[in-house]
Amino acid sequence: MGLQRHDRTTGHSPPGLPPGSSAGSCLPWESGEPLRAEGVAPTALPAEGATRAPLIEIYPFGMGFVFRGDDLRPHIEMAEQAWIFMEQTIKERKFDILILDELTIVLNLGLLTIEKVMDFLTRKSDDLHIIITGRDAPQELIEFADVVTEMTEIKHVYRKGVSAVKGLDY
């Protein structure tokens, strides 16, 4: 698998990635480092007819957790930058799947409007599949979606007092 990391020493990011995008994604490397993974393990390819694995691009955005009383303005600005970047990237290149991780949290905090998201969803091409994650999805989003799944915690290490791990849990 070919990996390209953001170079923190030179500040070079993949084209179009806004400077300052950082934590907020559950990634197994230091939060804020964009990672591009080309291909997947050969065992993950279909048994017959596969000549090339798909390209996977991950662009983390966000500024970490938001707590009651925090100034939301910088978080709103980052969410807007992330949304613009996503829309521009979707226009420039062909993707089959788009994962908008924790978007429902962004909506619930008022960092983006449901109107903006619904406008995008109604305008998207039919061959682009979108996965939206997060708790407490707005009713409008639930009604629009083709599939809605609710996950329930059965067991979590937090219950034993273990703290969240940067780069894994946030």
Side-chain angles (χ1 to χ4, degrees):
M1 181 180 333
L3 300 178
Q4 298 174 339
R5 279 185 182 258
H6 169 78
D7 187 338
R8 288 182 294 166
T9 58
T10 64
H12 292 110
S13 295
L17 187 66
S21 61
S22 61
S25 191
C26 296
L27 305 172
W29 58 88
E30 184 173 336
S31 294
E33 288 187 18
L35 178 76
R36 177 176 290 168
E38 295 183 24
V40 293
T43 55
L45 293 174
E48 295 181 38
T51 57
R52 182 175 148 304
L55 175 70
I56 299 169
E57 296 180 19
I58 300 170
Y59 297 103
F61 284 88
M63 300 173 66
F65 292 109
V66 178
F67 297 99
R68 210 169 287 172
D70 284 354
D71 180 6
L72 292 181
R73 288 176 298 197
H75 296 278
I76 291 170
E77 289 173 17
M78 181 59 72
E80 289 287 342
Q81 284 180 2
W83 194 261
I84 290 166
F85 175 79
M86 178 275 300
E87 284 193 321
Q88 182 179 359
T89 303
I90 292 296
K91 285 179 188 173
E92 293 171 0
R93 294 198 303 282
K94 169 76 172 96
F95 291 95
D96 298 316
I97 299 173
L98 171 65
I99 301 173
L100 299 171
D101 191 33
E102 301 293 357
L103 180 64
T104 61
I105 304 301
V106 170
L107 291 169
N108 290 329
L109 290 171
L111 305 182
L112 288 175
T113 66
I114 187 68
E115 292 81 16
K116 179 183 291 266
V117 172
M118 295 307 296
D119 180 59
F120 171 76
L121 292 174
T122 57
R123 289 184 296 107
K124 74 164 192 69
S125 67
D126 289 339
D127 57 346
L128 175 63
H129 301 280
I130 298 180
I131 299 169
I132 296 172
T133 70
R135 299 171 190 236
D136 303 318
Q139 191 61 38
E140 189 173 353
L141 192 57
I142 290 172
E143 290 171 9
F144 182 81
D146 292 322
V147 177
V148 177
T149 302
E150 182 175 322
M151 296 174 59
T152 303
E153 177 187 322
I154 304 297
K155 179 181 176 182
H156 203 292
V157 70
Y158 293 154
R159 303 282 181 228
K160 294 180 181 178
V162 177
S163 297
V165 177
K166 184 175 181 176
L168 179 62
D169 296 310
Y170 67 95

